[in-house]
Amino acid sequence: MDAGMDLLHSSGVELVQYLQMNYKDSQSWFTFISFAADLRNTFFVFFPIWFHLCEAVGVKLIWVAVIGDWLNLIFKWILFGQRPYWWVHETSYYGNSSVPVLEQYPITCETGPGSPSGHAMGSAGVWYVMVTAFLTSTLQNKQHRVQNWCLRALLWAVFWLVQVNVCASRIFVAAHFPHQVFLGVISGLMVAEVFGRIDAIYNASFKQYLKITLSLFSFALGFYLVLKVLGVDLLWSVEKAQRWCARAEWVHIDSTPFAGLVRNMGALFGLGLALNSPIYAESCKGKRSQQFSFRLSCIVASLLILHLFDSVKPPTQTEFLFYFLSFCKSAAVPLAAVAIIPFSASHVMNQQEKKML
């Protein structure tokens, strides 16, 4: 088993070296793709746009992103996947021969286990939801079969082009092996497909949101504590990242397993709170919500305000405080986009209409 994994890892290292040597001029592109594929952009960019265009798609995006990333964490804790940038220094596979040299970048030093790739899993799930939603809304006319087929082929070509670029970027920066990004894409597609068949997420009460949020967090924390009692340290990868990262400042607390967990739980909690708030019912369920100008105003305002909000980073000196503030920040994102901003926009439009009368 170990010999087979060493062979798989060594072939992956060769691909990392090939990409870094032959596509060195594309470093900025691969770095941008990795940044764009971060799940944070689903919450701060894709969600507010889709929610105000089609509420059901926005809700599904949050569920797929949160549950997918939660499953990714559990899978990583079970599979104990290595990462290229530290594996080459710790393996005995190369014996007395020279260890392969892998370039590192500011986004290389992820602190969680490597399998499956969270970027690939999140990207596949989120883009699958968006592509299928766009196809469902546009392919209404069954008479134009050729046009429908061309549009379907174009969108799925874009989908796979995005996934190939995301996977290549994660391999290029030496954050993942090829089999890890492949597993991530397959897992993300499975999560998105499953949630495409669950209608209960669109009508869940705040109590149900709260129960699910607490259940997911309790399971992950309980899983960690039980294995810790049994002598298994699920944070083993953090020490490896700190030891083998080329620069200490590239190791960030917000890439640790628990940082992602609290962010996702915050987003789900915030969505449940927002969807069941009276100001959401007043602004997004009334006549105003049918107006395109209102929806467009909500999208623009959400993108601008959330961009400013994202620039505010929680202090990292105290770990517990960082996690708590990360939870609050993530909860505030859907709360702002779903309830506060639409309510404010509706109030402003009402005042302008009164002045015109």
Side-chain angles (χ1 to χ4, degrees):
M1 181 65 178
D2 290 341
M5 289 305 298
D6 283 344
L7 185 61
L8 186 63
H9 287 148
S10 64
S11 62
V13 168
E14 291 178 4
L15 181 57
V16 174
Q17 288 184 303
Y18 175 82
L19 290 176
Q20 290 185 347
M21 291 177 60
N22 293 278
Y23 296 92
K24 193 174 184 64
D25 294 338
S26 302
Q27 174 188 336
S28 58
W29 169 251
F30 285 130
T31 302
F32 167 76
I33 290 296
S34 277
F35 169 78
D38 193 289
L39 210 57
R40 180 183 290 105
N41 292 310
T42 298
F43 302 133
F44 285 89
V45 180
F46 296 142
F47 168 70
I49 293 174
W50 276 100
F51 182 85
H52 292 294
L53 291 177
C54 180
E55 181 178 312
V57 178
V59 171
K60 189 192 296 185
L61 275 177
I62 292 291
W63 278 91
V64 168
V66 168
I67 301 301
D69 207 48
W70 182 84
L71 287 172
N72 181 265
L73 173 64
I74 301 301
F75 288 158
K76 283 181 174 179
W77 278 349
I78 293 174
L79 297 176
F80 278 70
Q82 303 287 328
R83 290 185 184 270
Y85 77 91
W86 76 54
W87 180 82
V88 293
H89 296 289
E90 298 199 338
T91 182
S92 59
Y93 177 80
Y94 298 103
N96 295 326
S97 58
S98 58
V99 175
V101 177
L102 300 182
E103 294 289 335
Q104 294 186 21
Y105 306 93
I107 59 174
T108 295
C109 302
E110 298 277 352
T111 58
S115 188
S117 166
H119 280 73
M121 188 171 177
S123 174
V126 167
W127 277 84
Y128 183 87
V129 170
M130 293 192 296
V131 168
T132 53
F134 191 83
L135 288 173
T136 301
S137 63
T138 55
L139 300 185
Q140 302 293 339
N141 192 342
K142 297 182 179 179
Q143 302 300 322
H144 299 82
R145 294 184 178 180
V146 175
Q147 292 91 326
N148 289 349
W149 183 89
C150 290
L151 179 60
R152 190 182 299 274
L154 175 63
L155 288 178
W156 285 118
V158 171
F159 171 84
W160 286 112
L161 181 63
V162 170
Q163 305 318 310
V164 168
N165 274 274
V166 171
C167 293
S169 71
R170 302 308 291 162
I171 296 172
F172 176 86
V173 300
H176 287 290
F177 293 100
H179 70 279
Q180 295 173 344
V181 294
F182 175 78
L183 182 58
V185 170
I186 298 301
S187 302
L189 290 175
M190 292 175 63
V191 171
E193 180 62 26
V194 168
F195 273 88
R197 305 173 186 274
I198 301 177
D199 295 329
I201 61 175
Y202 306 115
N203 301 301
S205 65
F206 175 67
K207 187 176 181 180
Q208 291 173 316
Y209 269 96
L210 184 60
K211 284 182 178 179
I212 293 172
T213 301
L214 291 174
S215 297
L216 293 175
F217 181 79
S218 299
F219 182 91
L221 182 61
F223 187 66
Y224 168 79
L225 293 176
V226 168
L227 289 184
K228 190 173 182 65
V229 169
L230 296 176
V232 180
D233 182 14
L234 293 179
L235 299 182
W236 59 274
S237 57
V238 177
E239 184 273 333
K240 291 184 181 293
Q242 293 171 338
R243 179 189 302 177
W244 297 115
C245 189
R247 300 176 64 174
E249 62 269 24
W250 290 351
V251 180
H252 304 289
I253 188 174
D254 62 355
S255 72
T256 59
F258 278 112
L261 177 64
V262 296
R263 279 198 304 268
N264 292 325
M265 296 305 98
L268 191 61
F269 174 81
L271 179 64
L273 184 62
L275 290 175
N276 292 277
S277 66
I279 60 175
Y280 158 76
E282 181 178 337
S283 58
C284 291
K285 288 298 184 182
K287 293 182 179 179
R288 181 73 67 185
S289 63
Q290 304 302 318
Q291 300 174 357
F292 179 74
S293 59
F294 172 74
R295 291 175 176 267
L296 182 61
S297 298
C298 291
I299 291 174
V300 173
S302 295
L303 292 177
L304 290 175
I305 293 173
L306 293 182
H307 175 71
L308 295 175
F309 189 56
D310 188 35
S311 63
V312 179
K313 306 298 182 183
T316 59
Q317 290 80 6
T318 305
E319 195 169 355
F320 176 80
L321 179 61
F322 172 82
Y323 290 147
F324 175 74
L325 293 178
S326 293
F327 177 89
C328 295
K329 179 180 178 179
S330 296
V333 170
L335 186 61
V338 171
I340 298 175
I341 292 175
F343 178 78
S344 302
S346 179
H347 180 73
V348 170
M349 287 184 172
N350 289 337
Q351 294 297 321
Q352 291 178 340
E353 290 178 354
K354 288 180 180 180
K355 291 181 179 179
M356 295 176 64
L357 293 176

